Amino acid sequence: MNEITHIVWDDLNHFSESEFPAGVTEKVSPAFLCKLDKFREALGCAVIPSPLVGGWFRNDGSTTSRHYIGSGNMLRKADAGDVFPDCDIFHALITAVHCGFTGIGLYFDTNYAGEKKHMLHLDTRPGELVIWTRDNKKYTTIYPRPNASVFDLLS
């Protein structure tokens, strides 16, 4: 499969460059943006990109973050983004798994346009699927569960 090297906005069905903060899309992997467009198609509802630059790329902070692009000569394209799906957050989670995202975070302590709204972090990290939640600034890994089954959470 050929790697997508640049985004052609006319090829996307559900997003336009104007929906993202200025200057963000040139620092995000075009393949990620295409996958995000396919996610929106599969989800069947609006997906609002985070208005925060840090929801797309960062030059500082954790170097293991999929938002981190580095600085100087050590730059890469981010393969992560934060979005606000206009549907049940768990439906969005299941759809994200089916679309092949490998890092999925459900954030229950976020706001959009001054209102409390659940946010979804999506990324395409190498390796196995990882799912986590954040609530009241506390992170919890849902999958994989060390030494436990995900079904233990349900009992």
Side-chain angles (χ1 to χ4, degrees), residues 15-22 24-25 28 32-33 36 47-58 67 80-85 110-113 117-122:
F15 291 103
S16 64
E17 192 170 14
S18 64
E19 293 180 81
F20 296 83
V24 158
T25 58
V28 176
F32 177 83
L33 293 171
L36 188 63
V47 175
I48 304 162
S50 173
L52 303 176
V53 170
W56 298 97
F57 78 90
R58 300 177 192 144
H67 293 289
D82 297 338
V83 296
F84 296 91
T110 51
N111 293 295
Y112 178 78
K117 186 150 179 72
H118 298 144
M119 185 187 80
L120 199 63
H121 165 97
L122 300 170

Side-chain angles (χ1 to χ4, degrees), residues 82-155:
D82 297 338
V83 296
F84 296 91
D86 194 22
C87 65
D88 178 79
I89 195 73
F90 296 105
H91 171 63
L93 164 68
I94 299 297
T95 304
V97 170
H98 282 269
C99 287
F101 289 98
T102 49
I104 305 169
L106 290 83
Y107 289 65
F108 299 108
D109 58 356
T110 51
N111 293 295
Y112 178 78
E115 303 270 327
K116 184 176 172 119
K117 186 150 179 72
H118 298 144
M119 185 187 80
L120 199 63
H121 165 97
L122 300 170
D123 71 51
T124 54
R125 68 187 62 205
E128 297 297 316
L129 174 66
V130 178
I131 303 172
W132 67 92
T133 63
R134 188 183 82 180
D135 196 14
N136 294 318
K137 307 293 183 196
K138 181 181 179 230
Y139 291 88
T140 304
T141 300
I142 294 176
Y143 183 86
R145 296 285 299 167
N147 304 317
S149 164
V150 70
F151 298 103
D152 291 343
L153 291 173
L154 304 175
S155 55

